[in-house]
Amino acid sequence: MSSSKQGRAGIAPWLSARDASQAAAFYKAAFGAAELYRLDDDNGKLIVCEMSVGGANFWIQDDPDCRPETAGRSTVRIILTVDDPDAVFVQAIGAGASDIFPVGEEHGWRIGRLADPFGYHGEIGKRLE
């Protein structure tokens, strides 16, 4: 992928946790993590948040069914943020990725989800401003 096609890019871990609120509290307490973005459900329960430790950003998503020990299930996803998620998504599909959900707009993002040929899931998107 040429840099002229994608522009600025970033990759960050996306961690699934049985209780995202407890996980976020742990990272704040353990590493001084700062919360950069937060999405709560209608009851105020944390669904997903972006955090940063010294400029190293990562995401935490609430997943009550998360069992890291379960074979065939990963608790980490990658989110690739780019200037043109539509073009990069199409490029990834062309390279052999499978479409999980197409690029669209939700929660302040233009984002889509795919699976690579090795079974890892990833998001490709950009925050809308």
Side-chain angles (χ1 to χ4, degrees):
M1 176 178 346
S2 71
S3 60
S4 63
K5 191 171 191 175
Q6 77 181 37
R8 184 173 166 245
I11 294 178
W14 188 293
L15 310 174
S16 294
R18 283 186 227 179
D19 185 326
S21 293
Q22 285 183 350
F26 167 77
Y27 289 111
K28 288 175 184 177
F31 306 112
E35 206 170 279
L36 305 177
Y37 172 83
R38 181 183 182 99
L39 177 64
D40 294 323
D41 68 12
D42 293 337
N43 297 319
K45 180 180 178 184
L46 177 63
I47 296 172
V48 66
C49 69
E50 181 182 18
M51 303 191 82
S52 181
V53 176
N57 296 2
F58 62 100
W59 293 79
I60 298 173
Q61 176 178 343
D62 193 73
D63 182 354
D65 296 322
C66 177
R67 305 284 185 268
E69 66 280 1
T70 303
R73 178 173 171 98
S74 174
T75 57
V76 178
R77 271 199 330 248
I78 298 296
I79 182 167
L80 175 62
T81 55
V82 295
D83 292 333
D84 187 354
D86 296 270
V88 175
F89 194 88
V90 168
Q91 181 176 329
I93 296 297
S98 301
D99 183 348
I100 303 298
F101 67 80
V103 176
E105 292 185 14
E106 65 180 64
H107 307 301
W109 281 78
R110 178 128 188 99
I111 196 162
R113 183 173 177 186
L114 50 77
D116 71 19
F118 313 101
Y120 292 102
H121 288 207
E123 314 283 332
I124 298 177
K126 73 174 182 177
R127 193 174 286 154
L128 300 173
E129 297 177 11

